[in-house]
Amino acid sequence: MLDWIARAKNLGEGDVNEFEFRPGQSCVIQTVRLGRVAPDEVKVLENTIHRSEDDYRNWINQSQSWPEESTTTLVMHCRVNAENSTMTSLPYSKTTFKAACERLYQHRSVVEAIRRKSHAIFTKRDVAAWKFRPDLGPAVVYNCKSDNISPAEEDDMILSVTHFPQKSAIFAVTYGCTDHCLGEIDFWLNYAKTFAFDPLLLCMIWAELERRRLIDGVDLKANPLWDGILHMNEALNNDHKNMDSLLTKQSHDGKSDRGSVGDSSNGSDDMIKMTRVGTTQNEITKRECEAVNLWVSVSTLKNGLESFKTELKSMLECSRDSSDGEENQSPSQQQQQQQQQQRPEQVILGSIRKHAAHRIQHRLRSMIVEIEGKVRYTDSLLQGMVLATQTESNHLSRRDALTNIFIAVESKKDSSHMRYIALLGMIFLPGTFFATLFSMTFFDWTAQDNNNNNNHPVVSPYIAVYFAFTVLATAATVWRFQSWARKRDGEAVQSLTAQLESYPAIAASLLARQIVPYANNASDGINIGGVAAVAGKMQGQGQMARPREDV
């Protein structure tokens, strides 16, 4: 955790283990060497592609005898074409890697950048001279790593540059290059080889590749996000048109069918159906999932652009600090350099350095402005997506509310019809009862008297049997219904108790606010005493916080 305190420059064993070595895999390593043959002329000394570990190892051994002053050496590792490979997967052994790190003066700070799974990184570190090469003097180390959070990791790369200002020597290594990156770096080195001895040139090439990578990612995700916003707007307009036409139709039908009980429900039924027209629930769910994924991707890309802009500003500051070419130099060395600058070749080199610094700073400012514009663009997309989602949610809520209103209207109509039916039952029930009663054989309305042969009604003494069975059957029916009702109430209490045990906060709120429905009488509803007992037991066990007094 505190490796940054250490003064060691070479990679330790733990640093080496951050790389994955796959000897035997297809190997593509390109080495480029540039040398200054004149103050204003730079020549390509070597541009070789090594396709085996042995070739690369031979190059390392041979390069130790080559001059290092006024040279730029770049080694580019092509990404290993294998499953689960990353930018730190190397097609050779650990021994070859250690030899290459020693020969190319690779600083261990590159591993710190590799370990950070974050957005784009640019770091600068001043280091003392290597112990085995004190003649090269102090160095400046630059590390650049691609964003491996926002875009995919298939094309991320890392660049490490070691610059020895006193000898005007640069050693650089890249890991995880794609074929496209190899071609781009090779092209820009040949195109701007006059500025190849500015250490920020390689960092600028990395910045150009990372800029293109992030902007392509934004364009790839922004177009579907914008299409989703337009689709939401179109769906809302269609639903709105359907609702307008439906309400207009319902208004006309209501006026024409007023007073007709049998036909008045057709319009409301059509309204309930029409409120579901336009967007189905499956379509809404699918679109919401896609919108969430796009929103997360664009938000991550926006954060990546913000971080990349910060690193570009750091590069701009480094370019300003080193534009005079006096980084890591003592006062005596600066005085000696001022004396050497009087020579014609030094005047030419100083002019080239200033021109390179000016061009780099101008390009960095342009990139910062462009990135800021992309950030504003992604921010407007995200706000538009949030607004569209909220608008659709509000529209669906209003549509559901309208559906509930229609259902409530139909329920009210059904209730009115039931009242009419009950009224009819009350009108005919007494007559039906007495008609049935008097039609039974208990009554004989034409019975004759034996004495005077007069007709008079006779009531059978067995009518008491009828009333006895009727009273018993009615009492049994009422008792059975009450038993069933008490059982259902008990099940409701148990269900509520289980819910309160699962959600103690609900019990606390109910008890504190005293909004549990029904009274303590079990026959009237839920027994609040049982709920209070459960809540008190839970509170005694420490499962539920005591409600506030001011609730």
Side-chain angles (χ1 to χ4, degrees), residues 23-273:
Q25 295 286 345
S26 59
C27 178
V28 178
I29 301 175
Q30 185 173 355
T31 55
V32 180
R33 291 180 65 244
L34 304 177
R36 190 185 297 277
V37 296
D40 56 348
E41 182 180 358
V42 177
K43 183 179 180 181
V44 179
L45 303 178
E46 178 197 1
N47 192 341
T48 309
I49 297 179
H50 308 279
R51 300 191 179 275
S52 66
E53 181 178 355
D54 293 336
D55 291 345
Y56 183 51
R57 186 61 183 263
N58 293 333
W59 178 86
I60 294 174
N61 296 332
Q62 294 175 6
S63 64
Q64 295 179 0
S65 59
W66 296 340
E68 298 176 340
E69 187 172 357
S70 298
T71 59
T72 296
T73 304
L74 173 63
V75 178
M76 296 179 286
H77 293 75
C78 189
R79 186 177 290 267
V80 175
N81 188 14
E83 186 178 0
N84 298 326
S85 63
T86 62
M87 65 178 178
T88 56
S89 300
L90 304 178
Y92 47 76
S93 62
K94 184 184 295 187
T95 305
T96 304
F97 175 73
K98 291 181 178 179
C101 290
E102 182 178 353
R103 175 65 189 91
L104 298 172
Y105 306 98
Q106 191 166 342
H107 195 265
R108 65 178 304 184
S109 59
V110 67
V111 179
E112 298 178 8
I114 292 175
R115 287 171 178 165
R116 290 172 57 184
K117 183 175 177 62
S118 61
H119 297 292
I121 297 175
F122 169 78
T123 61
K124 173 188 174 183
R125 176 177 294 191
D126 300 329
V127 298
W130 264 254
K131 291 183 179 180
F132 61 93
R133 288 301 305 273
D135 56 303
L136 294 177
V140 182
V141 177
Y142 302 91
N143 293 313
C144 305
K145 187 178 76 70
S146 299
D147 188 338
N148 55 5
I149 293 182
S150 306
E153 297 185 4
E154 286 78 10
D155 56 350
D156 58 338
M157 61 175 292
I158 189 166
L159 168 68
S160 179
V161 180
T162 304
H163 177 218
F164 295 96
Q166 293 185 13
K167 297 296 183 179
S168 188
I170 297 175
F171 298 88
V173 184
T174 63
Y175 299 102
C177 293
T178 61
D179 294 337
H180 172 73
C181 292
L182 287 177
E184 289 290 323
I185 295 174
D186 189 40
F187 169 78
W188 285 109
L189 276 180
N190 285 277
Y191 180 77
K193 58 185 178 182
T194 306
F195 303 148
F197 290 91
D198 191 311
L200 287 179
L201 176 64
L202 293 173
C203 298
M204 283 296 300
I205 295 176
W206 166 84
E208 292 286 355
L209 295 173
E210 185 67 10
R211 162 194 161 274
R212 184 72 268 162
R213 182 168 171 259
L214 290 173
I215 291 179
D216 288 345
V218 171
D219 295 338
L220 183 64
K221 298 295 183 181
N223 292 333
L225 187 61
W226 179 249
D227 293 339
I229 296 174
L230 295 180
H231 181 70
M232 285 185 182
N233 184 37
E234 182 180 359
L236 292 177
N237 288 333
N238 292 335
D239 284 357
H240 183 68
K241 291 178 181 178
N242 292 334
M243 293 301 299
D244 286 344
S245 61
L246 175 61
L247 293 175
T248 303
K249 178 178 180 297
Q250 176 65 12
S251 177
H252 293 306
D253 292 345
K255 293 179 180 179
S256 61
D257 295 337
R258 185 172 298 170
S260 177
V261 178
D263 297 336
S264 61
S265 62
N266 295 333
S268 297
D269 292 340
D270 293 339
M271 294 183 75
I272 295 174
K273 293 178 181 178

Side-chain angles (χ1 to χ4, degrees), residues 547-551:
R548 302 201 324 260
E549 297 296 336
D550 58 344
V551 175

Side-chain angles (χ1 to χ4, degrees), residues 200-492:
L200 287 179
L201 176 64
L202 293 173
C203 298
M204 283 296 300
I205 295 176
W206 166 84
E208 292 286 355
L209 295 173
E210 185 67 10
R211 162 194 161 274
R212 184 72 268 162
R213 182 168 171 259
L214 290 173
I215 291 179
D216 288 345
V218 171
D219 295 338
L220 183 64
K221 298 295 183 181
N223 292 333
L225 187 61
W226 179 249
D227 293 339
I229 296 174
L230 295 180
H231 181 70
M232 285 185 182
N233 184 37
E234 182 180 359
L236 292 177
N237 288 333
N238 292 335
D239 284 357
H240 183 68
K241 291 178 181 178
N242 292 334
M243 293 301 299
D244 286 344
S245 61
L246 175 61
L247 293 175
T248 303
K249 178 178 180 297
Q250 176 65 12
S251 177
H252 293 306
D253 292 345
K255 293 179 180 179
S256 61
D257 295 337
R258 185 172 298 170
S260 177
V261 178
D263 297 336
S264 61
S265 62
N266 295 333
S268 297
D269 292 340
D270 293 339
M271 294 183 75
I272 295 174
K273 293 178 181 178
M274 286 295 290
T275 53
R276 303 189 184 102
V277 173
T279 305
T280 63
Q281 187 64 33
N282 292 333
E283 292 176 351
I284 295 174
T285 303
K286 181 180 178 180
R287 189 166 68 238
E288 287 177 347
C289 293
E290 293 176 352
V292 168
N293 293 332
L294 288 173
W295 188 90
V296 171
S297 300
V298 175
S299 297
T300 308
L301 284 170
K302 176 190 173 184
N303 296 333
L305 290 172
E306 292 280 7
S307 301
F308 184 57
K309 183 182 72 172
T310 302
E311 303 306 325
L312 291 178
K313 291 181 178 179
S314 299
M315 293 178 64
L316 180 61
E317 183 178 355
C318 289
S319 178
R320 291 170 178 170
D321 294 341
S322 60
S323 59
D324 55 0
E326 298 179 355
E327 54 184 0
N328 274 344
Q329 293 184 357
S330 62
S332 59
Q333 292 172 342
Q334 295 178 10
Q335 184 178 3
Q336 182 179 1
Q337 183 179 10
Q338 291 177 359
Q339 295 176 357
Q340 293 177 353
Q341 287 179 352
Q342 303 300 325
R343 293 189 245 175
E345 62 272 13
Q346 293 298 327
V347 173
I348 297 176
L349 292 176
S351 176
I352 293 175
R353 283 195 296 267
K354 291 182 180 179
H355 184 57
H358 175 74
R359 296 286 295 273
I360 289 175
Q361 293 171 17
H362 177 74
R363 178 55 184 160
L364 285 173
R365 294 190 190 96
S366 301
M367 291 173 67
I368 291 173
V369 172
E370 181 184 19
I371 295 300
E372 288 177 346
K374 281 294 180 181
V375 170
R376 290 191 294 269
Y377 174 65
T378 55
D379 188 58
S380 62
L381 280 177
L382 294 175
Q383 293 180 359
M385 189 65 190
V386 172
L387 179 60
T389 304
Q390 292 178 350
T391 303
E392 183 181 31
S393 177
N394 295 335
H395 172 74
L396 295 177
S397 299
R398 290 194 298 269
R399 192 176 69 176
D400 293 341
L402 184 60
T403 303
N404 293 332
I405 292 175
F406 295 155
I407 294 174
V409 170
E410 293 302 312
S411 299
K412 184 178 180 179
K413 292 180 179 179
D414 293 340
S415 300
S416 300
H417 297 165
M418 292 303 296
R419 288 201 305 269
Y420 297 148
I421 294 174
L423 179 60
L424 291 176
M426 293 174 63
I427 294 174
F428 289 100
L429 186 60
T432 304
F433 170 75
F434 286 109
T436 304
L437 178 64
F438 292 145
S439 66
M440 292 187 298
T441 58
F442 295 113
F443 301 95
D444 188 1
W445 303 101
T446 61
Q448 294 181 356
D449 191 356
N450 294 329
N451 296 325
N452 51 15
N453 294 326
N454 293 328
N455 295 333
H456 62 87
V458 176
V459 179
S460 174
Y462 296 103
I463 193 173
V465 177
Y466 164 76
F467 286 107
F469 276 98
T470 301
V471 171
L472 290 175
T474 304
T477 302
V478 173
W479 172 82
R480 185 67 186 90
F481 175 77
Q482 289 182 346
S483 300
W484 176 83
R486 282 194 295 269
K487 181 180 178 181
R488 298 292 296 177
D489 292 341
E491 293 176 356

